[in-house]
Amino acid sequence: MSFRRFLPRFVLVFFLTFAAAVMFLPIFWTFTTSFKTQPEIVEVPPAFFPDSFANFSNYTQVFERLHFWQLYANSIAFSGVVLIASLLFASLAGYGFAKFRFPAREVAFFLIVGVLMVPFHSVAVPLYRWMDAMHLVDTFGGLVLPMLVSAFGVLLMRESMTTIPNGYIEAARIDGSSELGIYFRIILPMVKPALASLAIIKFMWTWNEFFWPLLIINTPTKAVVTLGLSYLSNMYFKEYHLITAAATLSLLPLVVLFLLLRRWMVEALTGAGMKG
Amino acid sequence: MNNRTPYSRKLLFSGILFVLPALAYFGLIYWYPLVQAFEMSFKTMLPGMKMAFAGLDTYKEVFSDEAFWSSFAHTLYFTVIAVGLTVGLALVIAIALNNVYWKSTQNVLTMVFLVPTLVSFAAAGLIWDWILHPRFGLANQILMFLGVSDLPSFLQSQTQVIPSIAIIHAWVRIGFSVIILLAGLQSIPSTYFDAAKVDGTRGLQLYRYITVPLLLPQIGAVTLLEVIFSLKVFDEVYITTQGGPNGASNVLMLYLYNNAFRFYRMDKAAVAAVTIFVVLLVFGIVQRRLLAGRRYEF
Amino acid sequence: MIRAARITILVILSVLLVAGSLFASGQQQEPGQAEVPTVKITHWSHWVTNNKYYEPYWSELAKTFNALHPEVNFSIDVVSIPYEGYEAKYSSAFEAKQGPGMFNGMAHVWAGQFDVAAPMPKDIADKLDSILIGASRPYGVFGDQRYGIPVEGGNFMMMYINVDRFKEAGLDPNNPPKTYDQMLEYAKKLTVYDKNGNIVKPGYGIRYKGHPFGIADKVAPFFNAWGAEWYNWDEKTADGYLNSPASVAALQFYAGMVQDSKVASVELDNPAAVFGQGLAGIIFRESWYSAWLSQNAPNIDFKVYPLPKEKMESGFGNNFPWSIMVNKDLNPTDKKWLWEFVRWYVNNADVRKEHYVKSEMLPPFSDILDDPLFKSMPEFQAWKTMSEGRAAPTYYNPPAQEILVVIGEATLSAMYGKQGAKAALDDATKKVDAILARYK
């Protein structure tokens, strides 16, 4: 490649890399702070790197105090179950709204997306009482039930399914395929990027959910990671050395999942699945 | 509508069946609590945790509360900045990423932009509280290094606090919009660009007349979503400023939370919730109308 | 190749999911034995993270009590509730009748506003009143009825000074200011400015960040020292109290530290951190702070003194009267045994002494103060002097939080120079009167 062609391309990548580094910096900062001791953190001015990267005391403290393995297990179960239900419900509904006509369709769609527009805090207490009426307080079912379907998921699925050319669907119908068959064999494969995106997003939102687990869970062994993190602040002060460690631990599974799914997502994004 | 063929009626039922699970779910789980939540706005809370029907009295009380209007104003101000930053920057970044020559580099860079989205707003608040510290935070350390003399106080300043929180918010949300816009960009067939170039369109004009209009559905969707998130901003404010300094970052959700859980005025909180809902509703409808004629099919 | 990778990923995810579900939700409880009644009390507290031993130790105490009473199977299960959002959790649980048997909270909220706390049996309440130090006696009380056991003895503010900064400024660290005017003079000497006139090292570390009710809590000693009161609950009026000349003078002094004499800064960190960084010369903080300093800022040489006085002593006062209370909706057997446990705790000084020595916390009980641990605490002398001194007015009423916010906002308004002290307090008085009016 000639230098004339190379230079602008390189410059673009350079600036993008700089921007990306700036975006990543706060996370890196949290990571390095998690290896500092308390006096190091309070120190003036604060050092960029900790005295020792081998200072795992914050991490061991977090694991001891917060039973982090249990928190991980609970969060994984919570987010995982919600993820699967969401993908299913949202894609079914998204397909229905995108490709079918029935009376009151817009009203029904609005009633679902409208849920997004209501602040959760105001619905939380009546919801809690509703769960209590069903004897689901302090249970996995109670934790999971209000999170199962995401209005956002329905929105996303509908948006991505609208662009599927009707030709495919018609052809399949003429071939005698059942509606569910069409859904599984034709529609779903065509919206892989949207599904992968929804998967990451829903898993991540559920993983980071704090208020609902706070209300519904009583038993410490059933707590999730976000609750664990909140135990590191109290009325008087925040234990930053532990919070940064716990935050890093909390982010880790998300990053792993993200790295695993991104290949699928990117491939589907750029690959043949898109337009023909 | 009786001129339906059996075939089209079958399609109709199939459609209903497909949306039924989600509808049933929301109906059973959310609508009852939702109605109750809105119902509380027509009641008033008495000492001893009892409620009495009050018609529009609570609305009057809330709408004459100066704290309510200031938090409303702050929220709108915040939304404009946050959404502007998020969508604007995401568009620039997505276009830049789309133009990266080397595929693997493009992938890696895209992923780095997406990582902050994994962080919860609360965690982001904690992290940035640290970074934006006026004396010891990384931000001002860097500014000092660059020789800036009048260092900003970010979250401590009454004028800078809302833009600062908007930066935190945008930091978390940019990656998400980048992904959606990038996907949209990559699905525009190159034929459009080829034709335009043949016509003599170049550089920025290309973006203005081809790229952005074709990207409008995605831009619209992303903007709506970001507006929804911004109007409901809460976690970052709760963790960092609790509405300070001197009430400068009091947002609607904080007003709601304080009234619901600290002053035990669920009635006033419900009014705030209804307000948020109505504003979002209006915005959603307006946005839909604006974009209605502008979808370009291809 | 790619297909294989995908399948592997899916398998790993499914395995994780299954494993997670298996281990999630913790263990189930085993059913108790039939013969002897089993009383399992759940204790909710947002205070667990404040002190390593205090709350968890209730489980241990329950075991000791259980050993003494073979006729019952008694245990206490301590659950830590995050401080952020604890009001939401408590209120939603109590409303749905899912509240805990025992909990840490403020009596004027859970007994006064929500009416979920059980009144304490008279004999226990009387015994408690006889052994509590004066400073802690109002905690756990609403109206004329006692509901809870006070948690902390050192829960009122004292004056912390930085010895090195005093020496730097030519002041004697063994000679603290005795009046607020003196304190202002000291602060002026202690404050260090940079070349632009901004405060680099404040003389007085002032609280301006965070929730307004924290702000009000920190300005309270000033009102108290000027002899000003916030409102009168019996008459349900703030007019004549919150906007009295004494109140205005107090707020003027406080805001003046920022606006006029410039010895306090609204641009540095919060007082606890700024003192820990060795910057602030003087701050007001409760007893827990000395322990925090030795852990987080061991290089700071500090001394603790009683608060200064103005027209009168600041007195011991606090806006967060934490106490341990009992749920009034407990079933009769559980409630009976829980009060038995409380009775045993209150009547046994040794038990209580062990509790507080292990927690390394100053107790609210006057009959166990002779332990060398307490005497060795840096704040002990100041604490003893103040707790035997004047009792500042308390405002433990249902709308307390709301009113604190109003006062906090007025304070901030004056501190930031938005309003003068009088104007800010006049506005605040109107708002507080409106709040109080709902309780008439």
Side-chain angles (χ1 to χ4, degrees):
Chain A
M1 180 193 316
S2 68
F3 185 70
R4 216 174 63 112
R5 283 241 166 114
F6 177 76
L7 188 60
R9 290 172 183 163
F10 176 76
V11 166
L12 178 68
V13 170
F14 180 77
F15 275 112
L16 270 177
T17 310
F18 182 72
V22 169
M23 285 289 276
F24 196 72
L25 196 56
I27 297 183
F28 182 70
W29 174 252
T30 310
F31 180 68
T32 52
T33 307
S34 69
F35 291 102
K36 290 183 178 173
T37 57
Q38 277 162 292
E40 271 182 80
I41 293 182
V42 176
E43 168 187 288
V44 158
F48 194 74
F49 288 108
D51 281 348
S52 160
F53 265 108
N55 177 25
F56 286 105
S57 65
N58 296 335
Y59 285 93
T60 42
Q61 269 192 71
V62 164
F63 267 99
E64 269 167 28
R65 254 219 251 180
L66 299 181
H67 314 290
F68 226 79
W69 294 118
Q70 183 75 66
L71 296 180
Y72 264 152
N74 291 336
S75 280
I76 290 176
F78 179 33
S79 303
V81 167
V82 166
L83 165 65
I84 291 174
S86 271
L87 283 179
L88 197 61
F89 280 96
S91 54
L92 282 170
Y95 180 48
F97 282 118
K99 291 295 179 193
F100 292 84
R101 281 189 173 63
F102 46 89
R105 185 182 73 164
E106 293 305 304
V107 174
F109 185 68
F110 165 73
L111 282 174
I112 291 183
V113 173
V115 171
L116 258 182
M117 300 185 177
V118 179
F120 185 72
H121 285 93
S122 57
V123 132
V125 175
L127 197 56
Y128 178 87
R129 262 190 260 134
W130 194 215
M131 291 294 120
D132 177 51
M134 296 199 258
H135 302 288
L136 288 175
V137 169
D138 202 26
T139 62
F140 187 71
L143 176 65
V144 157
L145 202 51
M147 309 272 124
L148 277 182
V149 185
S150 146
F152 169 73
V154 174
L155 184 71
L156 185 67
M157 283 294 132
R158 191 188 83 150
E159 289 300 305
S160 71
M161 286 179 180
T162 326
T163 59
I164 296 177
N166 292 330
Y168 285 107
I169 308 176
E170 300 292 336
R173 281 196 189 124
I174 291 169
D175 275 350
S177 174
S178 72
E179 291 303 323
L180 264 185
I182 297 178
Y183 165 76
F184 274 112
R185 273 181 268 117
I186 305 211
I187 306 294
L188 278 189
M190 293 191 88
V191 290
K192 270 196 276 206
L195 281 175
S197 311
L198 182 60
I200 295 182
I201 290 167
K202 192 65 185 163
F203 190 89
M204 178 256 295
W205 272 353
T206 316
W207 186 270
N208 286 328
E209 183 69 42
F210 173 72
F211 199 63
W212 182 247
L214 169 74
L215 288 188
I216 199 84
I217 293 178
N218 294 336
T219 319
T221 46
K222 299 182 187 171
V224 290
V225 169
T226 44
L227 286 183
L229 247 107
S230 66
Y231 292 137
L232 299 171
S233 318
N234 61 40
M235 184 186 169
Y236 299 129
F237 54 87
K238 299 188 162 80
E239 295 180 88
Y240 278 110
H241 60 304
L242 297 178
I243 288 179
T244 44
T248 310
L249 285 174
S250 162
L251 199 57
L252 215 54
L254 291 180
V255 172
V256 166
L257 180 77
F258 178 64
L259 289 175
L260 283 179
L261 275 181
R262 73 177 168 101
R263 287 211 179 280
W264 203 17
M265 209 170 109
V266 169
E267 184 193 292
L269 249 180
T270 59
M274 279 306 291
K275 280 287 166 280
Chain B
M1 287 289 219
N2 279 326
N3 47 350
R4 279 201 215 281
T5 63
Y7 177 66
S8 71
R9 214 175 298 158
K10 173 182 176 245
L11 279 188
L12 202 147
F13 279 126
S14 302
I16 295 182
L17 282 178
F18 271 110
V19 305
L20 203 54
L23 270 179
Y25 170 81
F26 281 108
L28 286 173
I29 305 292
Y30 273 99
W31 291 338
Y32 180 51
L34 227 87
V35 164
Q36 274 194 309
F38 283 171
E39 215 180 31
M40 281 198 266
S41 66
F42 294 109
K43 299 214 174 116
T44 184
M45 198 112 212
L46 302 169
M49 295 311 290
K50 300 187 217 346
M51 299 199 95
F53 183 73
L56 291 175
D57 284 348
T58 311
Y59 279 91
K60 283 193 212 132
E61 195 187 338
V62 170
F63 290 156
S64 52
D65 189 355
E66 187 234 317
F68 172 76
W69 290 112
S70 74
S71 59
F72 198 173
H74 292 146
T75 312
L76 289 178
Y77 178 46
F78 171 81
T79 302
V80 166
I81 301 185
V83 176
L85 267 180
T86 308
V87 178
L89 282 178
L91 191 58
V92 168
I93 293 174
I95 291 176
L97 280 173
N98 196 33
N99 282 327
V100 168
Y101 186 73
W102 301 279
K103 211 49 173 170
S104 46
T105 319
Q106 186 195 63
N107 290 341
V108 168
L109 283 174
T110 311
M111 293 311 144
V112 175
F113 279 107
L114 207 45
V115 173
T117 311
L118 299 174
V119 176
S120 66
F121 284 124
L126 273 176
I127 294 173
W128 281 88
D129 198 23
W130 210 212
I131 293 184
L132 293 179
H133 191 287
R135 270 181 67 79
F136 313 123
L138 197 58
N140 271 352
Q141 296 281 323
I142 293 179
L143 286 177
M144 255 202 292
F145 179 71
L146 293 176
V148 174
S149 54
D150 201 10
L151 293 176
S153 4
F154 297 117
L155 296 168
Q156 276 24 330
S157 147
Q158 289 175 86
T159 43
Q160 295 163 17
V161 64
I162 293 216
S164 302
I165 300 184
I167 290 177
I168 303 176
H169 192 89
W171 178 77
V172 174
R173 297 298 311 162
I174 281 183
F176 180 80
S177 298
V178 165
I179 281 285
I180 297 207
L181 292 174
L182 187 58
L185 278 170
Q186 287 175 336
S187 66
I188 298 176
S190 55
T191 49
Y192 279 91
F193 293 105
D194 297 338
K197 280 188 198 148
V198 164
D199 271 353
T201 338
R202 288 235 161 280
L204 278 173
Q205 286 183 313
L206 258 180
Y207 289 117
R208 199 173 145 208
Y209 294 109
I210 308 287
T211 320
V212 171
L214 282 175
L215 212 46
L216 268 182
Q218 283 88 346
I219 296 181
V222 157
T223 306
L224 177 63
L225 201 63
E226 291 311 313
V227 167
I228 292 179
F229 275 113
S230 300
L231 278 171
K232 294 201 289 183
V233 66
F234 175 71
D235 286 347
E236 306 99 298
V237 179
Y238 185 80
I239 289 274
T240 54
T241 60
Q242 284 277 346
N246 200 11
S249 63
N250 234 329
V251 289
L252 267 177
M253 276 302 297
L254 191 61
Y255 179 86
L256 192 156
Y257 186 87
N258 279 334
N259 275 292
F261 300 114
R262 288 179 168 150
F263 308 156
Y264 325 113
R265 294 295 308 272
M266 299 290 291
D267 48 343
K268 286 172 88 172
V271 171
V274 169
T275 309
I276 295 178
F277 177 74
V278 167
V279 171
L280 281 173
L281 189 60
V282 166
F283 184 81
I285 293 177
V286 165
Q287 194 240 19
R288 200 134 190 246
R289 289 276 159 82
L290 277 179
L291 288 186
R294 307 262 191 101
R295 262 175 190 270
Y296 299 97
E297 293 294 330
F298 45 79
Chain C
M1 184 49 210
I2 297 182
R3 174 167 248 148
R6 279 198 216 150
I7 294 181
T8 320
I9 291 170
L10 277 173
V11 167
I12 293 176
L13 285 176
S14 322
V15 166
L16 278 177
L17 190 55
V18 169
S21 309
L22 280 179
F23 287 107
S25 310
Q27 298 105 357
Q28 299 303 323
Q29 309 292 355
E30 292 128 33
Q33 298 298 49
E35 286 273 333
V36 160
T38 303
V39 173
K40 259 180 147 330
I41 305 286
T42 316
H43 172 49
W44 281 10
S45 170
H46 57 74
W47 230 77
V48 178
T49 48
N50 282 41
N51 182 297
K52 263 173 93 173
Y53 278 106
Y54 179 80
E55 296 287 16
Y57 205 64
W58 289 109
S59 302
E60 298 300 315
L61 290 172
K63 288 189 190 140
T64 316
F65 177 76
N66 190 38
L68 294 170
H69 289 270
E71 69 271 35
V72 70
N73 220 335
F74 184 85
S75 64
I76 293 181
D77 197 16
V78 177
V79 177
S80 175
I81 308 289
Y83 181 66
E84 314 271 4
Y86 89 92
E87 304 102 329
K89 178 140 183 89
Y90 279 27
S91 59
S92 50
F94 278 123
E95 253 192 286
K97 301 268 186 265
Q98 288 274 347
M102 184 175 151
F103 58 98
N104 179 328
M106 300 190 273
H108 59 273
V109 173
W110 305 104
Q113 179 79 32
F114 286 91
D115 195 21
V116 296
M120 191 179 277
K122 193 167 184 323
D123 64 303
I124 312 179
D126 287 343
K127 171 76 178 171
L128 254 185
D129 282 332
S130 71
I131 54 172
L132 283 172
I133 61 174
S136 305
R137 221 169 277 137
Y139 298 6
V141 173
F142 174 67
D144 293 319
Q145 175 67 47
R146 175 171 285 284
Y147 294 86
I149 314 170
V151 169
E152 208 192 344
N155 202 11
F156 52 84
M157 279 191 270
M158 293 168 269
M159 184 165 60
Y160 283 72
I161 67 155
N162 183 322
V163 171
D164 294 319
R165 293 269 286 115
F166 261 56
K167 287 188 191 156
E168 249 175 52
L171 296 165
D172 180 8
N174 294 315
N175 191 13
K178 304 277 187 321
T179 68
Y180 279 92
D181 292 319
Q182 258 182 7
M183 188 181 88
L184 184 58
E185 293 311 310
Y186 277 56
K188 284 184 187 159
K189 294 207 181 96
L190 285 164
T191 310
V192 174
Y193 305 91
D194 69 5
K195 52 181 162 60
N196 294 328
N198 298 322
I199 299 179
V200 172
K201 298 189 185 185
Y204 178 83
I206 206 168
R207 173 75 175 270
Y208 66 91
K209 253 174 101 160
H211 207 279
F213 48 63
I215 309 280
D217 188 44
K218 299 294 170 284
V219 74
F222 291 75
F223 280 87
N224 295 334
W226 263 256
E229 284 183 31
W230 282 345
Y231 60 90
N232 186 310
W233 176 249
D234 295 320
E235 291 160 28
K236 307 283 188 302
T237 178
D239 192 20
Y241 294 92
L242 192 55
N243 51 6
S244 65
S247 290
V248 174
L251 185 57
Q252 217 151 39
F253 182 90
Y254 192 71
M257 287 197 290
V258 177
Q259 292 288 319
D260 306 320
S261 18
K262 300 213 193 311
V263 298
S265 166
V266 293
E267 303 203 327
L268 296 175
D269 222 327
N270 67 58
V274 124
F275 192 85
Q277 287 151 4
L279 298 173
I282 301 173
I283 68 162
F284 290 0
R285 221 54 249 245
E286 302 88 354
S287 129
W288 63 270
Y289 189 57
S290 71
W292 187 92
L293 280 171
S294 44
Q295 258 214 302
N296 289 274
N299 301 326
I300 305 290
D301 189 8
F302 67 96
K303 283 197 174 357
V304 189
Y305 291 110
L307 292 181
K309 59 195 287 192
E310 187 67 14
K311 301 261 181 338
M312 55 193 77
E313 281 177 38
S314 304
F316 52 79
N318 178 280
N319 286 292
F320 298 98
W322 304 117
S323 64
I324 309 286
M325 291 178 275
V326 169
N327 186 343
K328 78 172 191 191
D329 286 319
L330 269 183
N331 73 63
T333 321
D334 286 359
K335 201 192 282 190
K336 163 180 167 261
W337 279 107
L338 185 51
W339 282 128
E340 273 306 315
F341 171 77
V342 173
R343 188 170 282 125
W344 167 77
Y345 179 79
V346 168
N347 282 311
N348 274 289
D350 306 314
V351 171
R352 286 181 277 111
K353 189 191 284 197
E354 198 187 329
H355 194 184
Y356 281 86
V357 168
K358 275 230 155 60
S359 309
E360 294 182 37
M361 201 163 77
L362 283 171
F365 308 116
S366 58
D367 58 346
I368 56 174
L369 287 177
D370 53 349
D371 192 285
L373 173 77
F374 302 138
K375 298 214 168 81
S376 73
M377 293 180 177
E379 70 273 24
F380 183 74
Q381 205 41 59
W383 174 77
K384 196 146 194 302
T385 310
M386 280 193 72
S387 66
E388 285 159 4
R390 174 193 174 216
T394 57
Y395 302 99
Y396 303 150
N397 304 302
Q401 296 288 79
E402 229 181 319
I403 294 177
L404 278 173
V405 170
V406 172
I407 296 175
E409 283 169 352
T411 309
L412 284 170
S413 188
M415 273 166 62
Y416 277 88
K418 265 186 157 177
Q419 280 178 302
K422 179 148 193 355
L425 285 174
D426 280 334
D427 282 347
T429 307
K430 289 200 202 91
K431 291 185 188 158
V432 175
D433 273 338
I435 296 172
L436 289 170
R438 304 182 91 241
Y439 287 85
K440 282 198 177 138

